[in-house]
């Protein structure tokens, strides 16, 4: 699973129609307030996450019996093919 740590990259819009109109107007004339800066990721946390993720799947597969691995693979394939595209 890929997790990028946030919501979709789209502008926040106010719910009030008057505020929305004002914001759209400001964006149209180029006077919209600057977007907040993105948070930086902690490099140590990123390294630990990659390390754990890299060895986690192999360790889990080594602990499983061949029947359990086959069942897990069947379940994963069924989940992939059941998604609507």
């Amino acid at each position: 699973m890929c997790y990028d740590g946030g919501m979709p990259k789209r502008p926040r819009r106010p719910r009030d129609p008057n505020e929305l109109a004002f914001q759209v107007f400001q964006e149209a004339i180029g006077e919209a307030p600057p977007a907040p800066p993105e948070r930086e990721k902690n490099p140590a946390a990123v390294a630990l996450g990659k390390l754990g993720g890299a060895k986690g799947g192999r360790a889990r597969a080594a602990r499983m019996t061949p029947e359990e691995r086959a069942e897990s693979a069947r379940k994963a394939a069924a989940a992939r093919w059941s998604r609507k595209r």
Side-chain angles (χ1 to χ4, degrees), residues 56-83:
R58 270 188 249 117
R60 179 172 178 251
R63 267 196 334 262
M64 296 171 96
T65 65
E67 293 82 18
E68 289 173 330
R69 279 197 304 275
E71 179 58 33
S72 178
R74 255 191 300 280
K75 190 174 174 182
R80 278 193 303 273
W81 285 99
S82 69
R83 284 192 209 135

Side-chain angles (χ1 to χ4, degrees), residues 4-84:
D4 65 357
M7 295 292 288
K9 305 294 183 218
R10 58 186 168 86
R12 272 298 220 200
R13 300 276 187 209
R15 295 185 71 106
D16 179 44
N18 292 322
E19 289 179 12
L20 175 61
F22 181 68
Q23 184 176 359
V24 169
F25 174 73
Q26 281 189 321
E27 289 174 4
I29 62 173
E31 293 184 10
E38 290 191 25
R39 290 178 35 188
E40 291 185 26
K41 293 185 179 183
N42 182 347
V46 171
L48 278 175
K50 285 183 180 178
L51 179 65
K55 65 182 176 183
R58 270 188 249 117
R60 179 172 178 251
R63 267 196 334 262
M64 296 171 96
T65 65
E67 293 82 18
E68 289 173 330
R69 279 197 304 275
E71 179 58 33
S72 178
R74 255 191 300 280
K75 190 174 174 182
R80 278 193 303 273
W81 285 99
S82 69
R83 284 192 209 135
K84 295 190 181 204

